[in-house]
């Protein structure tokens, strides 16, 4: 029997998530004030911590929507605590996305929470559960870009501005990739309830390879170029220039050096 106390403990914010938020706040402050002797280190820690926060919120949105749609099992699995260590695929949801950010500046979508779809009735609810995660990335991108499209950058230090621009790029790429209607990604989860049983059965074996297929396509120069042209167009519409995202990525990858151009531009 589930008691009120157990339900409360299932939804209590994890100290792990609180710690990640603290790192985000402290390193964000260090980036803003220029406290760190090496600004790239502060930017790296700030963007990485904020990126992990967004991944946790992405998975939480899936779980919370599932809870209100009928899957009460998500609480017992620890999904409502925002603890990344509770996810069923921590490697896919946390480790690999961080590695891809470090290597290529791409917001890798993760798939972590296990939803018991048999508990949920209604196709709209199934679609909304899948959409909730990438919509969180969209909201995160709106917050990151708000100083740019509100023209409220007066007094914002250049390093912090560049870090926000790069973080916004990660959120936009994550949202766009997640919304692709490819098996294994959230975009397919949105349309899957509306497909016939036969089509779903035919597509199901390919779901574990959907993300690999997408990234194989992104290795093709032509596809990669079109993808980032779309990303750049979205960011420009939100007031972020190519220079700002470039300098944000250069600061983030501080170990490579070569950010003198951005220092001069700031």
């Amino acid at each position: 029997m589930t008691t009120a106390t157990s339900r409360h403990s299932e939804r209590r914010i994890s100290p792990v998530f609180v710690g990640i938020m603290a790192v985000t706040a402290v390193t964000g402050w260090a980036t803003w004030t220029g406290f760190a002797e090496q600004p790239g280190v502060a930017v790296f820690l700030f963007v990485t911590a904020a990126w992990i926060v967004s991944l946790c919120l992405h998975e939480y949105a899936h779980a919370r929507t599932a809870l209100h749609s009928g899957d009460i099992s998500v609480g017992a699995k620890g999904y409502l605590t925002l603890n990344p260590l509770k996810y069923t695929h921590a490697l896919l949801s946390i480790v690999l996305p961080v590695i891809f950010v470090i290597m290529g500046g791409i917001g890798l979508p993760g798939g972590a929470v296990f939803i018991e779809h048999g508990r949920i009735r209604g196709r709209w609810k199934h679609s909304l559960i899948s959409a909730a995660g990438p919509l969180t990335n969209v909201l995160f991108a709106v917050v990151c870009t708000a100083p740019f499209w509100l023209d409220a950058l007066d007094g914002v230090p250049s390093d912090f501005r560049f870090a926000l621009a790069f973080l916004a790029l990660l959120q936009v790429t994550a949202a766009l990739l997640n919304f692709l209607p490819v098996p294994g990604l959230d975009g397919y989860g949105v349309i899957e309830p509306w497909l016939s049983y036969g089509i779903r059965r035919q597509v199901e074996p390919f779901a574990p390879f959907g993300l690999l297929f997408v990234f194989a396509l992104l290795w093709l120069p032509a596809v990669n170029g079109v993808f980032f042209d779309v990303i750049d167009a979205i960011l420009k519409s939100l007031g972020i220039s190519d220079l700002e995202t470039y300098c944000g990525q250069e600061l983030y990858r501080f170990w490579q050096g070569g950010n003198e151009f951005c220092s001069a531009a700031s």
Side-chain angles (χ1 to χ4, degrees):
M1 179 177 179
T2 303
T3 65
T5 302
S6 64
R7 286 198 300 269
H8 178 71
S9 64
E10 289 173 356
R11 303 177 190 186
R12 185 183 297 122
I13 296 178
S14 163
V16 176
F17 181 76
V18 173
I20 298 169
M21 285 290 294
V23 172
T24 305
V26 171
T27 55
W29 169 81
T31 300
W32 181 284
T33 61
F35 178 80
E37 184 176 341
Q38 172 59 267
V41 175
V43 169
F44 173 82
L45 293 174
F46 169 60
V47 172
T48 301
W51 173 236
I52 294 175
V53 167
S54 75
L55 294 173
C56 292
L57 292 173
H58 176 114
E59 304 305 342
Y60 175 84
H62 284 310
R64 191 77 190 192
T65 308
L67 175 70
H68 292 293
S69 299
D71 183 6
I72 60 174
S73 70
V74 295
K77 294 169 185 172
Y79 297 157
L80 302 177
T81 65
L82 289 162
N83 184 353
L85 303 179
K86 292 292 185 179
Y87 299 148
T88 53
H89 298 295
L91 176 65
L92 290 177
S93 297
I94 302 296
V95 178
L96 282 182
V98 171
I99 290 175
F100 268 85
V101 169
I102 293 172
M103 291 177 58
I106 296 177
L108 174 72
V113 297
F114 176 73
I115 305 299
E116 296 186 14
H117 289 279
R119 295 174 177 262
I120 299 165
R121 297 290 180 267
R123 289 183 291 183
W124 281 107
K125 290 181 179 179
H126 287 279
S127 295
L128 184 58
I129 291 169
S130 294
L135 285 176
T136 304
N137 293 111
V138 171
L139 180 60
F140 212 108
V142 170
V143 172
C144 290
T145 58
F148 297 88
W149 51 265
L150 289 174
D151 197 21
L153 291 171
D154 289 343
V156 177
S158 58
D159 287 350
F160 191 84
R161 185 174 84 249
F162 296 154
L164 277 184
F166 181 53
L167 186 57
L169 180 146
L170 297 179
Q171 299 302 326
V172 172
T173 58
L176 189 59
L177 288 173
N178 262 298
F179 270 128
L180 292 176
V182 175
L185 299 181
D186 291 329
Y188 177 75
V190 172
I191 66 172
E192 183 183 23
W194 307 89
L195 302 176
S196 68
Y197 176 75
I199 292 177
R200 284 185 278 129
R201 283 294 303 271
Q202 290 177 344
V203 171
E204 187 177 359
F206 300 100
F209 310 104
L211 187 58
L212 293 176
F213 172 72
V214 169
F215 275 91
L217 283 179
L218 287 176
W219 278 103
L220 301 175
V223 176
N224 186 278
V226 171
F227 176 75
F228 277 101
D229 283 345
V230 172
I231 298 297
D232 289 342
I234 294 173
L235 290 173
K236 284 179 181 177
S237 70
L238 295 170
I240 298 178
S241 67
D242 293 344
L243 174 64
E244 287 164 322
T245 54
Y246 169 80
C247 289
Q249 187 166 3
E250 287 296 300
L251 275 171
Y252 182 81
R253 301 163 83 174
F254 66 92
W255 57 89
Q256 294 184 339
N259 59 358
E260 293 81 4
F261 172 76
C262 294
S263 298
S266 63

